[in-house]
């Protein structure tokens, strides 16, 4: 994939099918236009003339969104791109373009710091777009209505998956309603019901395969890979040592956690990371390393005991310094200072329990959360019930319904069972002391 000019915004961290967004989605300025590149398309929005004339940063939180399960937090703040008459051309939520936003408390970064961290302020300056900051969504400068293009990095899940689930879900609900309230046993309707119910688990398996194939095609130029070298007694697991890494690429420094989620930080451009700071406590012992950006903002921390405290830690630290090419310095805490100060990416890379590790490393679910899985299971169970119900009248249809229902349940349960067994028997077991595996070891 061709390189894009800096400054270019990087998406919020993601994993699974959403990892493609980190690889491909960028927002940047080129030839007098703001360009949004996603995994599906490239869209250009001219600057000046009848195009973008100003940007308005609405530095106010959006409303939380309710759903079955945990509430989804609202926007941290929105950037609107308007023409000279104030009409909305494009908009996006700033946390969509902040790599570490998924692990930070809502609105823990705001205002000028948020604009700088995301690279938005540098991008607008390069594009020569005037920036206005307002603190109230009712401000006259805020464009009303829901128009304008959404300049986000794109959906985590591919559109074909949403389309298949939507069509199958609509067909299933219609057939379910007819069967439940009319009491009909028409074979064609029962077959429609069970076939629609079977589509969801099949689509999820296809999504897993699609994701694996797509991600294997991505082969970036990597200067260095640095894995954790945990000190003895920390409870580091096989999964943690195998999957967690720092990857130094030509244009990005990528931090990957044990769940496969990646945080991409630019190594070039106005909002690139600039330095590695080795932090010691008052007694002189190493606490960790800070990854800093412009204005000394701490973007991530690497606890020393986890990353460099083991036998191979000194080698990892040397390779990181050499490959990243960043300024390296040291600082020692004084007085009552604590480290790190405030919420920051990197502190909870090692899960506190096997249960947490399995939760963080399973294949990601949709926005519906557990309710999606529950509905799929109900659909499969209902298929079996309907098959048993018409055994005498339509034995062929009954057998088909029972088999499809059982297959649907199996397709849902098998990935979960494999994940649990593999995790408990091997991946979430502690690494034997003094034999911490190097990156790539079995």
């Amino acid at each position: 994939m061709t390189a894009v000019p800096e400054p270019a915004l990087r998406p919020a961290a993601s994993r699974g099918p959403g990892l493609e967004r980190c690889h491909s989605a960028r927002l940047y300025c080129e030839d007098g236009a703001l360009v949004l590149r996603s995994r599906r398309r490239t869209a250009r929005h001219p600057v000046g003339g009848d195009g973008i004339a100003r940007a308005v940063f609405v530095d106010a939180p959006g409303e939380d969104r309710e759903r079955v399960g945990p509430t989804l937090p609202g926007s941290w703040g929105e950037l609107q791109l308007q023409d000279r008459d104030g009409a909305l051309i494009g908009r996006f939520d700033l946390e969509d373009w902040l790599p570490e936003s998924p692990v930070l408390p809502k609105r823990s970064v705001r205002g000028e710091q948020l604009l700088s961290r995301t690279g938005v302020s540098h991008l607008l300056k390069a594009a020569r777009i005037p920036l206005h900051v307002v603190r109230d969504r009712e401000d006259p400068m805020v464009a009303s209505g829901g128009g304008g293009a959404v300049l986000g990095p794109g959906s985590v899940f591919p559109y074909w998956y949403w389309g298949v689930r939507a069509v199958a879900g609509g067909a299933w609900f219609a057939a379910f309603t007819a069967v439940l309230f009319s009491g009909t046993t028409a074979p064609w309707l029962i077959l429609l019901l069970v076939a629609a119910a079977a589509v969801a688990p099949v689509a999820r398996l296809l999504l897993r395969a699609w994701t694996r194939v797509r991600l294997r095609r991505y082969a970036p130029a990597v200067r260095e890979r640095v894995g954790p070298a945990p000190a003895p007694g920390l409870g580091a697991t096989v999964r943690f040592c195998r999957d967690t890494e720092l990857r130094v690429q030509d244009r990005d420094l990528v931090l990957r956690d044990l769940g496969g989620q990646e945080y991409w930080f630019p190594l070039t451009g106005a909002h690139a990371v600039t330095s590695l700071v080795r932090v010691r406590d008052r007694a002189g012992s190493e606490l960790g390393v800070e990854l800093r950006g412009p204005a000394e903002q701490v973007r991530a921390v690497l606890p020393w005991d986890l990353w460099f405290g083991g036998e191979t830690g000194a080698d990892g630290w040397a390779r990181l310094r050499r490959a990243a090419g960043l300024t390296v310095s040291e600082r020692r805490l004084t007085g009552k200072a604590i480290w790190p100060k405030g919420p920051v990416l990197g502190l909870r890379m090692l899960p506190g329990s096997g249960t947490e590790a399995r939760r963080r490393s399973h294949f990601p679910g949709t926005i519906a959360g557990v309710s999606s899985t529950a509905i799929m299971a109900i659909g499969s169970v209902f298929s079996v019930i309907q098959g048993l119900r018409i055994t005498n009248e339509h034995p062929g249809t009954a057998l088909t319904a029972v088999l499809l229902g059982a297959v649907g349940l199996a397709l849902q349960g098998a990935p979960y069972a494999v994940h649990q067994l593999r995790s408990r028997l091997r991946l979430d077991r502690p690494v034997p002391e003094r034999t911490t595996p190097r990156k790539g070891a079995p």
Side-chain angles (χ1 to χ4, degrees):
M1 187 167 290
T2 58
V4 300
E6 299 290 351
L9 309 192
R10 271 74 172 170
S14 192
R15 61 191 183 96
L19 195 53
E20 264 200 303
R21 299 193 314 173
C22 298
H23 298 166
S24 59
R26 298 290 185 271
L27 184 61
Y28 57 97
C29 175
E30 184 180 59
D31 298 331
L34 281 185
V35 182
L36 173 65
R37 191 183 75 182
S38 68
R39 60 185 172 190
R40 296 179 58 245
R41 64 189 180 92
T42 298
R44 301 178 63 87
H45 299 274
V47 176
D50 295 331
I52 299 171
R54 69 182 185 186
V56 178
F57 174 39
V58 187
D59 188 15
E63 295 182 358
D64 292 347
R65 292 174 288 170
E66 299 295 333
R67 67 165 182 172
V68 178
T71 299
L72 294 174
S75 168
W76 289 24
E78 180 183 64
L79 189 86
Q80 295 188 349
L81 299 170
Q82 304 174 1
D83 65 16
R84 56 191 174 191
D85 297 323
L88 193 60
I89 294 177
R91 56 189 171 84
F92 59 85
D93 292 336
L94 263 75
E95 71 269 22
D96 288 342
W97 293 105
L98 178 65
E100 62 266 42
S101 64
V103 297
L104 298 181
K106 180 182 178 182
R107 300 274 294 168
S108 57
V109 183
R110 63 181 71 183
E112 296 299 324
Q113 189 182 67
L114 180 57
L115 292 170
S116 175
R117 278 205 190 191
T118 56
V120 168
S121 57
H122 308 290
L123 177 63
L124 296 177
K125 183 178 180 180
R128 298 182 179 180
I129 300 174
L131 172 65
H132 306 269
V133 179
V134 300
R135 312 292 180 185
D136 187 350
R137 291 186 176 271
E138 302 301 322
D139 191 281
M141 292 198 72
V142 178
S144 58
V150 178
L151 304 183
S155 172
V156 170
F157 291 84
Y159 288 109
W160 68 260
Y161 180 72
W162 288 120
V164 169
R165 290 292 301 271
V167 172
W172 181 85
F173 184 75
F176 172 80
T177 302
V179 170
L180 185 65
F181 291 101
S182 70
T184 181
T185 58
W188 70 269
L189 191 59
I190 299 297
L191 287 176
L192 174 62
L193 176 75
V194 300
V199 167
V202 170
R204 182 172 287 185
L205 280 185
L206 289 177
L207 176 64
R208 287 173 176 264
W210 181 88
T211 299
R212 180 167 296 185
V213 170
R214 299 275 292 190
L215 294 183
R216 281 181 176 177
R217 293 176 181 172
Y218 183 71
V222 178
R223 300 181 201 165
E224 190 63 81
R225 296 178 187 269
V226 179
L234 295 181
T237 62
V238 173
R239 189 200 307 274
F240 174 74
C241 293
R242 186 196 69 172
D243 295 342
T244 305
E245 71 172 5
L246 269 170
R247 196 167 67 236
V248 184
Q249 301 179 177
D250 284 344
R251 297 166 60 89
D252 302 274
L253 182 64
V254 182
L255 175 60
R256 177 186 173 94
D257 66 21
L258 90 173
Q261 184 154 274
E262 293 187 353
Y263 308 84
W264 286 53
F265 301 104
L267 284 173
T268 60
H271 70 297
V273 292
T274 56
S275 63
L276 296 169
V277 181
R278 186 173 178 176
V279 182
R280 298 179 182 271
D281 63 17
R282 284 170 285 276
S285 299
E286 293 94 344
L287 290 174
V289 175
E290 297 174 342
L291 179 64
R292 294 193 173 199
E296 298 302 309
Q297 295 182 39
V298 179
R299 303 298 302 272
V301 297
L302 308 173
W304 191 268
D305 285 349
L306 280 182
W307 285 92
F308 312 111
E311 291 182 355
T312 61
D315 174 66
W317 174 233
R319 288 188 291 115
L320 175 61
R321 297 198 321 265
R322 182 172 59 251
L326 303 176
T327 301
V328 180
S329 62
E330 291 195 9
R331 74 180 182 96
R332 180 174 295 195
L333 299 185
T334 59
K336 296 182 179 180
I338 59 174
W339 185 88
K341 185 178 181 181
V344 64
L345 167 65
L347 279 182
R348 292 180 51 81
M349 299 296 286
L350 178 63
S353 66
T355 300
E356 183 183 354
R358 290 186 286 277
R359 176 182 58 79
R360 286 168 56 176
S361 60
H362 70 69
F363 194 79
T366 65
I367 193 174
V370 296
S371 60
S372 176
T373 301
I375 290 174
M376 285 196 297
I378 290 172
S380 297
V381 171
F382 196 72
S383 297
V384 173
I385 293 174
Q386 292 306 307
L388 296 176
R389 178 186 171 201
I390 61 173
T391 300
N392 294 330
E393 296 90 344
H394 308 286
T397 301
L399 179 60
T400 301
V402 171
L403 288 178
L404 281 178
V407 168
L409 288 172
L411 292 180
Q412 293 173 66
Y416 175 81
V418 169
H419 175 69
Q420 290 290 321
L421 288 173
R422 192 161 173 254
S423 298
R424 293 173 185 270
L425 295 178
R426 178 171 178 266
L427 297 180
D428 292 334
R429 289 183 174 274
V431 174
E433 302 295 350
R434 303 183 65 81
T435 59
T436 301
R438 291 179 180 270
K439 185 65 61 178

